[in-house]
Amino acid sequence: MSAKMKKKVKLWLRAMGVIGFAEAAQRYWISSSRRRLELFVLSKLRDENIWIDPKDIDVTVGVVWETRLNQLLDIQESERVRVLRIPRAVFHPGWFRYLRSFVREAKSVPMGEYSLDHYFDKKYNKGRKKFREYCLKVFKVISKEYKIDTFVMPKVNDDWAVDCIMALNEGGYKLLVDDRESIITSQRMKVVAPKLKELLNIKFDRLLVHNELHKKLFLDAGVPEKLIEVNGMPQTDYWFSQKCWKDGKSIHSNISSEKIKILYFSFGPRTYMNFYYGDEKRDWSSLCADYHDVILKILEESSDRVQIIYKTGGKPLRDLYPGFETFQAGAKRYIENHSLLMLDGSYSSFDLIRNCDLVLGFQTSGLLEAMFTDVPIVYGGWGELFDEIKDTLLPLHECEGVHHAKSRDDLYGIIRAHLFRKITRSLSEDQRQSRIRMRDIYFNRADGAVSRRLLRAVKEISKNSSHGGQG
């Protein structure tokens, strides 16, 4: 390598700042050579996939993979569809090379769902164009090697997904989108739909949504109704397939079989606020602090008989309490003896819900998911901000099948009542029906066949010679 090239690579790596030296170097060389790109993409796909015999299939679908789609693998053979898992990692070289400044800035914004206004800023146009070119190269490599009939994307309006879809549009590929962001609040509907209508110019053959609220979001964003189908949420198939279930120590070796287990879904200052409330400066910081005070108090009093499983999601900037490090230091002895077990987004919320004795949280889909069971659900919401905007949040406080704590003392009292068996796992018929009604709003068509319908939609698109599109 020439001295000039070494200097260029060194400066580029220094500018990156977001990934390690070795990984950055690898990404640079991968994205600078067509052959290296092919080898990289194909090796990633071969690591991810186990093949069924091509003679036994009708179509091959390339799915930009998420674990929520795991059920597709169990039914692909019976549906005569070969599912090719495409890991997000194949897009990373282009993403971190051409949009490194956006990535660096986005990391400092704990919004969860980012406003597309930022991503569509003109200063990123050149980088976005390069990233689309990179994505199109990736899709061409995949399509040529595996004869893809239809691609599946998991999202319409995530930053990276927008340009992946545009690249697929440019290549003329058939596309089905199963949009994952289906837990809709009225405030999200109000703010996001106009932004999608204003900014997005993408095409797809079919958009699968999970419920009627989800459908309305895209109708309000200008998507033709003929392209939208309410299919349900694929991960709800879990509740109808016991072979997928894991218990106790098969989830994590430190999960106790003797103690009362409380599953806590973490949340952060902007959870379910994101950018939806404009210049609102107030957030959930004080509510977070109250929750953690109660958790620590429960551990101090009852760590010999209680295990609290502290579950973080896939967006730690959004979902972590700002005082987490202080809390962690104060709870050190409970972490060491596993009375407080910290688990990240790689662990199944569904498995944990089934194996716990109480589920605790604020604004989270985890509490809605727990409504597939009879596990006691404790929801804590209080304070000036909560009282002002609660009607624009998930209406968990209105569900009879949920214990709504209205203060820190109330939260502590409800948990203590459970520990001393004053709250039972059994539900009254009214409580059960209230959970079912709430569940059906957000998990419409949860019948164990959501993934099967998704693959059948793929087959229908693949056999249709015309490309649909949003137009």
Side-chain angles (χ1 to χ4, degrees):
M1 185 187 297
S2 67
K4 185 176 180 181
M5 180 60 73
K6 286 181 180 178
K7 184 178 180 181
K8 182 178 179 181
V9 171
K10 185 176 181 180
L11 288 172
W12 177 80
L13 291 169
R14 185 181 299 165
M16 285 282 286
V18 294
I19 53 178
F21 182 93
E23 191 176 7
Q26 180 195 44
R27 288 176 180 178
Y28 179 82
W29 293 115
I30 287 168
S31 56
S32 66
S33 161
R34 180 177 176 180
R35 182 57 183 157
R36 288 191 184 98
L37 174 63
E38 288 178 357
L39 292 173
F40 168 72
V41 171
L42 295 179
S43 68
K44 285 290 185 185
L45 266 62
R46 286 168 185 150
D47 289 343
E48 287 285 322
N49 291 280
I50 299 172
W51 299 112
I52 60 175
D53 192 328
K55 298 192 297 294
D56 297 329
I57 62 160
D58 297 325
V59 300
T60 297
V61 54
V63 183
V64 178
W65 197 251
E66 292 186 339
T67 55
R68 69 187 178 89
L69 299 170
N70 278 344
Q71 293 282 328
L72 298 182
L73 302 177
D74 294 332
I75 60 172
Q76 60 175 333
E77 196 163 0
S78 63
E79 287 296 324
R80 297 181 59 83
V81 177
R82 180 168 63 171
V83 175
L84 176 75
R85 289 184 285 182
I86 303 171
R88 283 273 298 275
V90 300
F91 303 108
H92 288 171
W95 179 251
F96 286 106
R97 183 180 183 190
Y98 301 119
L99 285 159
R100 57 186 177 271
S101 60
F102 171 78
V103 173
R104 196 160 49 239
E105 290 178 30
K107 280 181 174 291
S108 66
V109 183
M111 289 294 189
E113 179 181 353
Y114 297 97
S115 170
L116 286 178
D117 289 333
H118 180 51
Y119 190 62
F120 276 71
D121 191 301
K122 290 181 180 179
K123 66 182 178 181
Y124 300 121
N125 281 353
K126 184 176 179 181
R128 288 185 56 207
K129 182 175 183 292
K130 290 288 188 181
F131 178 59
R132 285 196 297 275
E133 291 171 355
Y134 173 84
C135 290
L136 184 55
K137 291 176 185 177
V138 169
F139 287 125
K140 284 181 176 178
V141 168
I142 296 170
S143 187
K144 180 182 177 182
E145 180 74 13
Y146 297 106
K147 307 296 185 290
I148 302 296
D149 295 287
T150 298
F151 284 94
V152 172
M153 285 291 295
K155 192 72 171 68
V156 168
N157 63 308
D158 269 5
D159 39 36
W160 67 277
V162 168
D163 284 310
C164 278
I165 291 175
M166 288 183 172
L168 287 165
N169 291 167
E170 184 180 335
Y173 297 106
K174 293 180 179 180
L175 171 65
L176 178 145
V177 179
D178 184 88
D179 188 82
R180 69 169 180 254
E181 295 289 348
S182 60
I183 309 299
I184 310 289
T185 63
S186 60
Q187 190 68 14
R188 181 173 188 257
M189 184 86 71
K190 178 181 176 181
V191 174
V192 172
K195 287 190 179 295
L196 296 181
K197 191 169 188 176
E198 174 191 357
L199 295 173
L200 288 188
N201 181 27
I202 57 179
K203 298 177 181 179
F204 37 76
D205 295 271
R206 189 83 51 89
L207 173 62
L208 298 185
V209 295
H210 300 167
N211 55 59
E212 293 294 337
L213 288 173
H214 202 190
K215 179 179 179 179
K216 186 178 186 304
L217 175 74
F218 288 109
L219 288 175
D220 289 354
V223 178
E225 187 169 10
K226 66 180 181 180
L227 296 178
I228 308 174
E229 180 182 337
V230 177
N231 183 51
M233 186 182 284
Q235 55 266 53
T236 61
D237 287 348
Y238 167 95
W239 298 106
F240 302 87
S241 180
Q242 293 189 20
K243 67 180 181 180
C244 301
W245 296 1
K246 293 182 180 179
D247 294 319
K249 294 190 181 298
S250 63
I251 302 171
H252 191 284
S253 60
N254 290 326
I255 289 181
S256 173
S257 56
E258 291 82 27
K259 291 184 177 183
I260 297 171
K261 292 177 284 296
I262 297 174
L263 174 61
Y264 168 65
F265 286 105
S266 71
F267 67 100
R270 302 290 299 184
T271 294
Y272 275 82
M273 289 184 71
N274 300 309
F275 59 91
Y276 309 152
Y277 294 86
D279 295 328
E280 175 61 66
K281 302 302 182 188
R282 294 171 298 172
D283 60 25
W284 307 124
S285 293
S286 63
L287 188 64
C288 286
D290 285 347
Y291 266 78
H292 285 76
D293 286 347
V294 169
I295 289 171
L296 200 54
K297 189 174 181 180
I298 292 293
L299 287 169
E300 287 169 350
E301 293 177 350
S302 306
S303 64
D304 59 326
R305 56 198 301 266
V306 173
Q307 181 178 56
I308 295 178
I309 299 174
Y310 190 113
K311 177 74 166 62
T312 58
K315 297 176 179 176
L317 276 176
R318 183 196 68 185
D319 294 334
L320 268 188
Y321 165 49
F324 178 75
E325 289 185 3
T326 301
F327 166 77
Q328 195 174 29
K332 183 179 178 182
R333 63 187 180 279
Y334 304 119
I335 294 172
E336 289 175 348
N337 68 19
H338 310 307
S339 296
L340 179 61
L341 183 61
M342 319 296 291
L343 298 182
D344 61 23
S346 65
Y347 292 88
S348 164
S349 294
F350 290 175
D351 282 332
L352 292 170
I353 288 167
R354 283 185 48 258
N355 284 272
C356 283
D357 301 291
L358 182 146
V359 177
L360 169 66
F362 178 49
Q363 288 283 300
T364 171
S365 61
L367 300 191
L368 296 169
E369 290 158 359
M371 292 183 189
F372 281 95
T373 74
D374 289 346
V375 175
I377 299 170
V378 180
Y379 169 75
W382 58 82
E384 180 184 71
L385 177 61
F386 175 78
D387 289 339
E388 284 186 22
I389 70 171
K390 64 183 178 182
D391 292 338
T392 67
L393 300 171
L394 298 178
L396 289 157
H397 56 286
E398 297 177 0
C399 180
E400 292 178 39
V402 169
H403 300 279
H404 178 200
K406 299 175 182 177
S407 69
R408 178 172 59 181
D409 290 344
D410 197 17
L411 182 66
Y412 170 73
I414 291 172
I415 295 173
R416 286 281 293 173
H418 174 75
L419 298 184
F420 288 97
R421 307 297 184 188
K422 294 179 182 179
I423 296 176
T424 67
R425 195 181 178 105
S426 61
L427 296 173
S428 70
E429 187 57 28
D430 286 346
Q431 289 173 326
R432 181 171 287 106
Q433 289 304 315
S434 182
R435 286 193 181 191
I436 290 171
R437 287 193 297 272
M438 181 72 71
R439 198 175 74 198
D440 287 349
I441 292 171
Y442 299 100
F443 304 127
N444 196 233
R445 302 194 74 186
D447 56 5
V450 181
S451 300
R452 198 171 296 278
R453 287 193 294 269
L454 191 158
L455 289 187
R456 289 177 181 177
V458 165
K459 286 200 287 187
E460 184 181 326
I461 292 167
S462 300
K463 291 174 182 177
N464 185 345
S465 58
S466 63
H467 182 79
Q470 188 174 335

